[in-house]
Amino acid sequence: MGHEWDFAFLLGQRDFILRGILGTFGLAITCVLAGMALGLVFAAARLSRFAALRLLGTCYVEFFRNIPVLVQILWCYFAIPIITGAQPGPFAAAATAVSLYAGAYMTEIFRSGIQSVEKGQWEAARAIGFGYLAQMRYVVLPQAMRSITPPLTNQVMEVVKTTAIASTIAYGEVLYSAKVLSDQEFRPIESYTAVGVFFIVVLALVSAASSLLERRLRRHG
Amino acid sequence: MDEVLRVENLHKRFGLLHVLRGIDLSVHKGETIVILGASGSGKSTLLRCLNFLEMPSEGRITIEGRLVGRETGTPGVMSYGTRELNALRARVGMVFQQFNLFPHMTVEGNVMIGPMKLRGMTEETARTLAHDNLRRVGILEKAREYPARLSGGQQQRVAIARALAMEPTMMLFDEATSALDPELVGEVLLSMRRLSEEGMTMLVVTHELGFAYNVADRVIFLEGGMVHEEGTPQEVLQNPKQERTREFLRSHTLFRLPDPAPEAAGHS
Ligand SMILES: Nc1ncnc2c1ncn2[C@@H]1O[C@H](COP(=O)(O)OP(=O)(O)OP(=O)(O)O)[C@@H](O)[C@H]1O
Ligand SMILES: [Mg+2]
């Protein structure tokens, strides 16, 4: 059956679409950065010499990794206001849920990356007089990045895709824009195709950036 | 202050394993002390306690006249502050068997990072300092290389320069040449010997008895976590009083006494 493809109507909705794109970027960047921060902190906890911190790290990972992210988003949006009496906006709810979810995976990525660095590197840094944070920052993390980058890239791409789920609580990202436009203009094919193309382009860029970084990290023996 | 290091009744336990059983040691400025002992006798543990890579279980360590840590209620047991230990490690250089250079930094970067981040030096000052110290161990021409492109002997000399750049009050060497191919051992020992002759205070764990004989001011033989025998290289290596020391020296097939020959030294 013949469908007449016509993307022209999208041009008339430039501002609306742009707002969706910015919404996706805003949420994705927030969640990637927050997820990485959570991942670093909890990875350090999981590798701590204190059993209580290790347990805390394990609980965090097991809890947030094993609940579907959609459930977490809905929980943040619908359950939190009942418990606390304060209604988070769709952005806050989605950002919290996706960050915690991504952070759980990133914890494991950072943990195994940090563990791949030889113990002697920590010791050499310690012997110079570096404290824990300096050992991590100047010596361990730069080396761990080599094994962290590939899985971290996958995870970042996963986060970017996951932001689409925020449309279920009416957060204005690209999928939400597409849904609205598709209903308005009766053009679901073009609308959702455009969303697909958008994600392919963005993720291809992320992937290319990561390859570049990987090559830089691999330069020295 | 003439006495750089004083160790009193140092004990170290790993769980039930009592590795160091009461070490006393006094090291004066400019002295080079070689520590010998069989595998497992606690040589590494002793050095690692001296810059607190391992925490002593008991005992007092005084560096440049300052007691490290604070007394706790229990006699002999000290508690240590993190900042105090970080500052102290910056003043005690350590060279490891496995070099442990930072592979993501150039040779000069390895030497500069400590002075820049811990002593607040500008990049330019730190580079000058790094080059001075790389020259000291004869490896300045590799300043811009990455460690992976260096031989083991060259890497170990960079590691020495890295420790020297912190301008330590003493240097600890834990089997610095044991991981090297035999033909590379000499260049590292030579750097260490020069350092000793420049007046650096050094504690050296090594199996190179020739180095002990020629360079050490004092030799300490560790056995079962205690100082079993101590004296000048001539005393300990040529006329050991203890049976265990003699046994150890016999088992060291690599030990060929350099000049003066044992007989000649026997007359003096
Ligand atoms: N972190 C640790 N935990 C438990 N036991 C340890 C630890 N470090 C060392 N030991 C034990 O302490 C004892 C002394 O070890 P140490 O490394 O000091 O010996 P060493 O004299 O340096 O021997 P080598 O010549 O083989 O290097 C050994 O029995 C060793 O197994
Ligand atoms: Mg050892």
Side-chain angles (χ1 to χ4, degrees):
Chain A
M1 86 161 229
H3 172 77
E4 270 197 37
W5 292 78
D6 178 12
F7 287 96
F9 75 95
L10 293 175
L11 289 176
Q13 300 286 353
R14 267 189 311 248
D15 289 351
F16 187 65
I17 293 169
L18 189 65
R19 235 179 298 146
I21 289 176
L22 289 180
T24 294
F25 283 158
L27 185 58
I29 290 168
T30 305
C31 295
V32 163
L33 293 180
M36 279 173 27
L38 287 166
L40 256 181
V41 168
F42 281 102
R46 290 209 67 175
L47 295 169
S48 163
R49 60 201 164 96
F50 301 110
L53 284 180
R54 288 199 301 271
L55 183 68
L56 182 75
T58 309
C59 288
Y60 167 71
V61 169
E62 293 308 326
F63 190 86
F64 287 102
R65 201 169 55 167
N66 293 324
I67 300 173
V69 69
L70 176 59
V71 176
Q72 292 186 44
I73 290 176
L74 294 176
W75 199 88
C76 283
Y77 196 58
F78 295 112
I80 282 184
I82 298 172
I83 298 169
T84 66
Q87 173 66 58
F91 176 82
T96 306
V98 177
S99 297
L100 287 167
Y101 179 76
Y105 281 94
M106 289 182 181
T107 298
E108 289 305 89
I109 292 169
F110 280 116
R111 181 184 60 80
S112 76
I114 290 169
Q115 274 178 318
S116 75
V117 177
E118 275 176 61
K119 227 183 97 224
Q121 293 290 313
W122 290 96
E123 287 212 322
R126 200 141 65 101
I128 291 176
F130 283 145
Y132 178 79
L133 289 179
Q135 292 163 31
M136 198 64 141
R137 174 163 167 210
Y138 301 121
V139 175
V140 176
L141 274 185
Q143 294 181 62
M145 279 320 290
R146 205 180 288 200
S147 56
I148 285 174
T149 306
L152 190 64
T153 304
N154 284 338
Q155 195 54 45
V156 167
M157 294 169 79
E158 206 54 51
V159 169
V160 173
K161 285 185 278 180
T162 303
T163 57
I165 298 180
S167 62
T168 52
I169 55 172
Y171 172 66
E173 44 70 70
V174 283
L175 183 58
Y176 183 75
S177 300
K179 229 188 258 178
V180 171
L181 286 186
S182 138
D183 293 352
Q184 248 174 42
E185 314 264 345
F186 306 107
R187 290 220 167 257
I189 297 186
E190 286 84 353
S191 298
Y192 293 123
T193 302
V195 172
V197 169
F198 168 78
F199 276 108
I200 288 176
V201 170
V202 171
L203 294 182
L205 289 176
V206 171
S207 180
S210 154
S211 303
L212 226 70
L213 179 64
E214 245 179 275
R215 210 163 328 139
R216 275 198 50 184
L217 289 171
R218 221 168 279 290
R219 253 193 331 219
H220 320 293
Chain B
M1 187 85 237
D2 193 30
E3 190 180 48
V4 175
L5 170 71
R6 170 189 284 276
V7 178
E8 293 163 279
N9 197 30
L10 176 66
H11 287 260
K12 176 64 186 177
R13 293 181 195 83
F14 294 107
L16 291 176
L17 189 64
H18 197 166
V19 177
L20 299 181
R21 300 162 169 262
I23 304 253
D24 292 294
L25 187 62
S26 166
V27 181
H28 290 266
K29 194 164 165 49
E31 261 191 310
T32 294
I33 297 193
V34 165
I35 300 167
L36 302 176
S39 181
S41 57
K43 306 179 297 291
S44 297
T45 306
L46 172 59
L47 285 197
R48 293 166 60 81
C49 281
L50 296 183
N51 73 346
F52 296 86
L53 287 178
E54 300 286 357
M55 294 303 146
S57 307
E58 219 180 286
R60 295 153 60 91
I61 296 176
T62 309
I63 292 178
E64 290 190 302
R66 275 182 50 192
L67 178 65
V68 185
R70 284 172 312 279
E71 306 273 2
T72 60
T74 324
V77 178
M78 309 289 290
S79 76
Y80 305 100
T82 310
R83 271 161 191 264
E84 176 187 26
L85 293 188
N86 289 341
L88 183 139
R89 289 193 196 100
R91 293 190 294 124
V92 177
M94 177 116 181
V95 176
F96 300 89
Q97 186 174 340
Q98 298 299 337
F99 332 137
N100 294 339
L101 292 184
F102 306 135
H104 58 299
M105 299 176 193
T106 59
V107 161
E108 64 181 10
N110 267 270
V111 184
M112 289 160 65
I113 183 88
M116 278 168 61
K117 302 303 174 190
L118 290 168
R119 300 172 62 197
M121 279 189 190
T122 63
E123 194 169 333
E124 276 327 298
T125 322
R127 181 167 284 116
T128 309
L129 178 71
H131 287 191
D132 288 345
N133 282 296
L134 288 169
R135 195 177 298 116
R136 238 166 133 183
V137 293
I139 196 147
L140 180 58
E141 76 279 6
K142 301 286 184 188
R144 305 266 159 141
E145 292 279 7
Y146 279 85
R149 304 189 44 140
L150 269 53
S151 75
Q154 293 172 328
Q155 289 190 47
Q156 192 60 298
R157 285 185 284 148
V158 174
I160 293 173
R162 178 174 68 179
L164 288 176
M166 294 302 291
E167 296 177 344
T169 57
M170 65 177 172
M171 289 276 290
L172 311 174
F173 296 83
D174 191 1
E175 301 203 29
T177 58
S178 294
L180 296 175
D181 292 338
E183 73 272 19
L184 301 178
V185 167
E187 61 188 66
V188 173
L189 290 180
L190 185 64
S191 289
M192 290 166 63
R193 180 177 192 151
R194 290 234 177 89
L195 212 56
S196 170
E197 286 163 359
E198 284 172 25
M200 175 60 73
T201 310
M202 300 169 40
L203 273 83
V204 182
V205 169
T206 183
H207 292 286
E208 298 292 335
L209 300 187
F211 179 86
Y213 187 83
N214 287 310
V215 183
D217 298 301
R218 203 151 30 112
V219 174
I220 286 174
F221 180 70
L222 273 195
E223 166 71 18
M226 298 201 279
V227 177
H228 197 65
E229 184 158 359
E230 178 176 359
T232 64
Q234 288 74 20
E235 286 165 357
V236 177
L237 298 176
Q238 293 181 332
N239 303 301
K241 295 187 185 62
Q242 305 290 333
E243 179 49 34
R244 273 300 290 132
T245 316
R246 275 194 286 267
E247 222 174 278
F248 172 84
L249 292 174
R250 268 201 303 276
S251 72
H252 262 268
T253 50
L254 283 178
F255 181 36
R256 301 172 303 273
L257 263 190
D259 55 297
E263 305 80 46
H267 297 299
S268 59

